[in-house]
Amino acid sequence: MGAANHFYTSPGDPPSKQAILEAALRIFARDGVAGSSIRAIALESGYTNPAIFKFYRTKEALALFLFERCYNECLAVLKVALGRQDGFVSKLRAAVRSLTGFVDAHPEAFFFVQDNLRVYWPKLPKQVRKHSLLGEFRRLIEQGRREGRVSALVPLEIQLAAMTGR
């Protein structure tokens, strides 16, 4: 198992915290937050329940921490990809490439975020909620409309839902 340096850990985190975060993300992605337990995370990480509670008061606090880190990383990957392109078509291609790359590299993080958006998004700090994946895609569709690449006959909300599945 060994603790690795992931985007959801910090360089100064002790190995125990890193291993707990790795194990928690695997278990949350596989079993869901409701279907998981602190005991299972402790067993998977090789640390005790008290070691987990040293860092996180509750399983919910641990899940929220991981959700925020995973969501922010996914958003950052998308923003970097979009920022490197100019036109709608190249931005759309970059968005698809960056997000499929994120899924390939971090499937547990992506699926954990997707499965838990409705639960944890409203619990994130207001500062974090100022920036969203949906906002990035909304701006992309609006650019496509301005460039004549996306039809203005279909309501933007329907186009956004079609593009994001939300």
Side-chain angles (χ1 to χ4, degrees), residues 86-124:
D86 288 324
F88 169 76
V89 172
S90 47
K91 281 189 178 195
L92 180 61
R93 285 187 181 125
V96 170
R97 257 191 319 274
S98 70
L99 290 178
T100 56
F102 185 82
V103 172
D104 285 344
H106 310 287
E108 292 162 335
F110 181 80
F111 293 117
F112 172 63
V113 166
Q114 286 300 102
D115 287 346
N116 291 282
L117 269 169
R118 283 189 172 87
V119 174
Y120 293 112
W121 176 258
K123 296 177 182 181
L124 293 176

Side-chain angles (χ1 to χ4, degrees), residues 133-145:
L133 293 166
L134 287 178
E136 293 299 318
F137 280 108
R138 177 183 301 277
R139 284 186 282 285
L140 181 59
I141 293 168
E142 288 168 345
Q143 179 179 354
R145 286 175 163 212

Side-chain angles (χ1 to χ4, degrees), residues 16-89:
S16 58
K17 185 176 182 183
Q18 292 181 28
I20 288 164
L21 289 169
E22 282 183 48
L25 183 57
R26 269 193 307 276
I27 289 171
F28 291 159
R30 183 187 68 217
D31 303 335
V33 176
S36 65
S37 69
I38 289 294
R39 182 170 294 160
I41 294 166
L43 185 64
E44 176 93 6
S45 69
Y47 291 90
T48 63
N49 292 15
I52 295 171
F53 291 124
K54 175 181 174 186
F55 301 112
Y56 303 97
R57 278 187 32 242
T58 64
K59 178 177 74 168
E60 184 74 12
L62 172 57
L64 181 59
F65 175 85
L66 277 170
F67 178 84
E68 183 174 349
R69 289 287 178 104
C70 293
Y71 186 89
N72 282 338
E73 183 68 12
C74 188
L75 179 61
V77 164
L78 178 63
K79 286 175 114 176
V80 165
L82 291 174
R84 291 182 178 156
Q85 304 300 323
D86 288 324
F88 169 76
V89 172

